[in-house]
Amino acid sequence: MLTTKNRLQKALLAFFISVTCQFFSIGIAHADEIRVSAAASLTDVMQELNEQWEQEHPQQKIKTSFAGSSTLAKQIEHGAPADIFISADKDWADYLEQRKLLDSTSRMDLLQNDLVIITPVNNDIAIVMDKNFDTSVFVKNRLCTGDTASVPVGKYAKQALQYYGWWDAVTRNLVETEDVRTALAFVERGECKLGIVYRTDALMTGKVKIIATFSKESHSAIVYPGSLTARSSPEAEQFWLFLQSPKAAAVFERYGFTLFQ
């Protein structure tokens, strides 16, 4: 006959076994999970590439976090799990590499992009890319882009606006967002009549139209560097090589990206 003490010991043992099994089950479930932190502008193309990889490697699962490059870099710095980091500018890749959080031997410049001005598709605003252009259009309309101090698209936008001499006119109606997709959404909804985003983002929706493209000399080259992290897995290394392959290149180009030359 079991005593109360024996019953308690038996219950505790059963609980311990149950928890241990759950722990190992979770470990097994996530053993082949590849975690990618990628700039928000890569959302659509990466989702397609993830699906391709998972179809060919059904035992693996790609888990992707999309956000502004600054946000992702800070998350990785504070311990967020990531096997691969793809930034929309070199600064945030440099930031993590300087802190020894990237595998510098795996780092490479993967893609390039263009910077454009957009407006809602039914809007009739016209902008001429000339330093003598009448900037009253910026005084009358809100312009949305990424945070100009930290988010890559916002940093590129500020450089370009300063190059054309439009920065002072824009600042009074400037709306700065956490990433480029949020800026795009503001223009889609008409909350901002103007927006500065990447060409690839503008091409992803029928709710906006491109009304101007900034010249390449007006801002730093828009480069997407990528790298394995210092804590990446062997599976992640294979996926990173896949993203550099001709097969992946064809998908990137279909979404409007330019391969880095």
Side-chain angles (χ1 to χ4, degrees):
M1 181 175 180
L2 291 175
T3 66
T4 301
K5 181 178 180 180
N6 288 337
R7 290 194 190 96
L8 180 59
Q9 289 175 335
K10 188 174 182 179
L12 287 172
L13 179 60
F15 174 77
F16 175 78
I17 293 172
S18 174
V19 170
T20 302
C21 289
Q22 290 179 35
F23 174 82
F24 281 108
S25 175
I26 292 171
I28 293 169
H30 292 272
D32 293 324
E33 184 176 84
I34 300 169
R35 299 156 300 184
V36 181
S37 292
S41 51
L42 294 168
T43 300
D44 304 276
V45 66
M46 284 299 300
Q47 287 175 341
E48 179 169 334
L49 289 167
N50 293 351
E51 290 174 4
Q52 282 191 18
W53 181 262
E54 290 175 353
Q55 287 174 1
E56 296 174 7
H57 303 80
Q59 76 281 11
Q60 295 179 2
K61 177 70 176 176
I62 309 296
K63 183 176 181 181
T64 314
S65 297
F66 298 108
S69 302
S70 54
T71 298
L72 296 171
K74 290 289 187 179
Q75 289 174 348
I76 292 171
E77 181 183 22
H78 290 95
D83 294 298
I84 298 170
F85 174 62
I86 309 176
S87 174
D89 73 355
K90 293 186 176 183
D91 290 347
W92 288 108
D94 291 344
Y95 180 89
L96 290 181
E97 188 169 345
Q98 289 163 4
R99 287 158 177 75
K100 302 187 184 305
L101 295 172
L102 297 184
D103 173 6
S104 58
T105 62
S106 69
R107 178 175 169 175
M108 71 167 291
D109 294 331
L110 190 64
L111 305 166
Q112 292 181 292
N113 215 330
D114 294 312
L115 193 68
V116 301
I117 303 177
I118 59 172
T119 193
V121 68
N122 295 321
N123 210 20
D124 292 327
I125 293 177
I127 291 178
V128 178
M129 303 306 286
D130 188 291
K131 293 182 179 181
N132 296 317
F133 176 68
D134 181 3
T135 57
S136 61
V137 65
F138 299 120
V139 177
K140 298 174 184 177
N141 296 281
R142 299 171 78 192
L143 184 147
C144 193
T145 192
D147 187 310
T148 57
S150 61
V151 175
V153 71
K155 292 160 64 178
Y156 296 129
K158 183 176 180 178
Q159 291 173 5
L161 292 167
Q162 289 177 327
Y163 174 87
Y164 283 98
W166 302 345
W167 175 249
D168 290 341
V170 167
T171 52
R172 68 189 71 185
N173 278 320
L174 182 64
V175 178
E176 302 183 41
T177 65
E178 62 188 11
D179 59 51
V180 68
R181 286 302 174 92
T182 304
L184 177 67
F186 273 44
V187 181
E188 285 181 314
R189 296 194 297 263
E191 295 176 29
C192 289
K193 295 299 183 183
L194 295 166
I196 298 178
V197 299
Y198 302 123
R199 178 179 299 278
T200 53
D201 295 293
L203 295 175
M204 293 310 304
T205 173
K207 296 180 180 179
V208 306
K209 60 184 177 182
I210 297 172
I211 56 175
T213 300
F214 286 102
S215 62
K216 293 187 183 299
E217 63 266 21
S218 69
H219 56 80
S220 300
I222 301 173
V223 177
Y224 289 71
S227 176
L228 296 170
T229 67
R231 297 175 293 183
S232 62
S233 65
E235 293 81 10
E237 182 177 0
Q238 294 304 308
F239 182 63
W240 177 226
L241 291 174
F242 164 71
L243 294 180
Q244 302 167 44
S245 69
K247 185 174 183 179
V251 179
F252 282 124
E253 290 180 323
R254 180 155 49 80
Y255 278 82
F257 290 93
T258 303
L259 300 181
F260 185 83
Q261 302 297 326

